[in-house]
Amino acid sequence: MAIAVRSEKYVRLYLAIVLVFAAAAARLLPHPANFAPVTAVAIFGGAVLPRKLAVWVPLAAMLLSDLVIGFYDYRVMFAVWASYVLIAFASSRWLARPSFAKGALLTALSSLFFFITTNFAVWASSDMYAHTWRGLADCYIMALPFFRNTFLSDALYTAILFGTYALAREAVFRLYNPLSRKA
């Protein structure tokens, strides 16, 4: 039993490391604006990793990729990073017993949450828009094309992560449980 627990711990750590580097690499590759896997990594990590590790995975991916891409306004960067932490935390709670419906709803809500918080930070911290209700509305309206990409990438990458994980777990189960194989 102790060996199984220890190996499970290492598998989760390995998975976290792979997710960090995969998400960071995906941000560095050419892609449409706001089409990145970091929200999906936060959702997936929150569901399958221990909470402390799940929170650090998207932050590490952002830090590594921002070191290469470059840092930006700290207030907006804080909103982006904090959004990922809160999404990972929500996922660890909401998906403690995962289902397709809960995962799909959390993914959609995470996309919306990220859109609202990060664009509010852009409006509040810059002179791009008037600091009025109309300016805030303009900020959200101008960001709608980015929301489409955010939502599509979140849905796609979340489905890929959970689907690949389920297939891998099934393959490992069949490999190590010969009685489960069909004759």
Side-chain angles (χ1 to χ4, degrees), residues 37-47 54 57-58 83-85 87-89 91-92:
V38 183
T39 299
V41 166
I43 293 168
F44 178 75
V57 165
S83 293
Y84 292 134
V85 167
I87 290 167
F89 183 74
S91 178
S92 72

Side-chain angles (χ1 to χ4, degrees), residues 13-79:
L13 181 61
Y14 176 73
L15 175 61
I17 292 167
V18 168
L19 285 173
V20 166
F21 285 105
R27 284 192 73 219
L28 299 176
L29 296 173
H31 60 276
N34 283 39
F35 200 90
V38 183
T39 299
V41 166
I43 293 168
F44 178 75
V48 302
L49 298 171
R51 187 173 297 139
K52 288 180 182 177
L53 190 56
V55 166
W56 284 104
V57 165
L59 288 179
M62 292 300 294
L63 177 63
L64 286 174
S65 54
D66 283 345
L67 283 169
V68 175
I69 294 170
F71 293 101
Y72 44 98
D73 185 298
Y74 71 93
R75 296 163 293 192
V76 175
M77 194 165 57
F78 176 79

Side-chain angles (χ1 to χ4, degrees), residues 30-154:
H31 60 276
N34 283 39
F35 200 90
V38 183
T39 299
V41 166
I43 293 168
F44 178 75
V48 302
L49 298 171
R51 187 173 297 139
K52 288 180 182 177
L53 190 56
V55 166
W56 284 104
V57 165
L59 288 179
M62 292 300 294
L63 177 63
L64 286 174
S65 54
D66 283 345
L67 283 169
V68 175
I69 294 170
F71 293 101
Y72 44 98
D73 185 298
Y74 71 93
R75 296 163 293 192
V76 175
M77 194 165 57
F78 176 79
V80 169
W81 291 23
S83 293
Y84 292 134
V85 167
L86 292 173
I87 290 167
F89 183 74
S91 178
S92 72
R93 294 284 205 182
W94 184 266
L95 297 179
R97 292 179 166 261
S99 71
F100 177 80
K102 287 185 350 183
L105 180 60
L106 181 65
T107 301
L109 291 174
S110 295
S111 298
L112 186 60
F113 173 74
F114 184 82
F115 174 80
I116 290 170
T117 57
T118 58
N119 284 292
F120 182 84
V122 167
W123 170 78
S125 66
S126 76
D127 293 328
M128 289 174 51
Y129 303 98
H131 290 179
T132 62
W133 287 110
R134 179 64 194 172
L136 180 59
D138 288 343
C139 179
Y140 284 120
I141 290 167
M142 296 302 291
L144 284 174
F146 299 104
F147 177 67
R148 181 191 65 229
N149 287 351
T150 297
F151 178 76
L152 291 174
S153 68
D154 293 349

